[in-house]
Amino acid sequence: ICDTAKPLFSYEHPAWNRYCAVAKNQYGNGSTLYFATMFDDTLLEKILVDYIKELPITGKKLTSQAPVFPVILRRGQNEYGKDICYYFNYSDSEQTVTHRDKTGINLLNNSPVTSGEVLRISAWDLIIVEM
């Protein structure tokens, strides 16, 4: 039962309907989510993406077009000051991801990568784009 937290989801059950399934609470300058149950991947992703979109995060904002597991996106900068995108495929099947950053070059095969291009990542492989 929530006291200072804001209920986001409640149970639809005759014995549990007075209890909160997901709550959001503020503390100082921060906030957190509390989960009292398990969700399927689709609903859990929506809850987390909606929550993260509300946060005052500096840098790039999370969008609904951001890659999702099994594709993982990591960013960095190389010794030449160039931005790097690492696309990891953590699955045993080919995956696709749309490159939403600046035009660059695939460092593993020296091919150009344009913004908006759909990249195919082989099973358990990666693509590294330098921009």
Side-chain angles (χ1 to χ4, degrees):
I1 297 175
C2 295
D3 50 6
T4 61
K6 174 185 171 187
L8 300 179
F9 289 87
S10 297
Y11 295 99
E12 292 182 7
H13 186 276
W16 293 92
N17 60 356
R18 66 186 181 123
Y19 297 107
C20 185
V22 179
K24 176 180 162 185
N25 205 2
Q26 297 294 132
Y27 183 79
N29 292 330
S31 67
T32 190
L33 290 178
Y34 296 94
F35 293 89
T37 189
M38 299 290 292
F39 292 94
D40 65 50
D41 292 347
T42 303
L43 183 55
L44 179 60
E45 180 180 344
K46 179 175 178 6
I47 294 168
L48 293 174
V49 167
D50 287 349
Y51 172 71
I52 291 170
K53 282 181 179 179
E54 295 175 4
L55 298 177
I57 299 172
T58 58
K60 295 194 183 275
K61 293 285 187 181
L62 181 66
T63 67
S64 60
Q65 293 121 3
V68 295
F69 188 81
V71 175
I72 302 296
L73 168 63
R74 294 289 182 256
R75 297 179 185 279
Q77 198 172 62
N78 66 15
E79 61 193 28
Y80 306 108
K82 301 266 189 168
D83 292 324
I84 305 287
C85 283
Y86 303 88
Y87 296 101
F88 298 93
N89 178 3
Y90 286 101
S91 75
D92 59 0
S93 62
E94 180 181 88
Q95 300 293 316
T96 60
V97 64
T98 302
H99 178 69
R100 303 227 178 252
D101 221 305
K102 300 176 284 187
T103 296
I105 188 161
N106 181 334
L107 293 178
L108 300 178
N109 64 12
N110 215 26
S111 65
V113 176
T114 59
S115 183
E117 181 176 343
V118 175
L119 304 175
R120 296 187 180 285
I121 312 170
S122 298
W124 303 110
D125 206 355
L126 76 153
I127 293 175
I128 304 171
V129 180
E130 179 188 66
M131 298 157 293

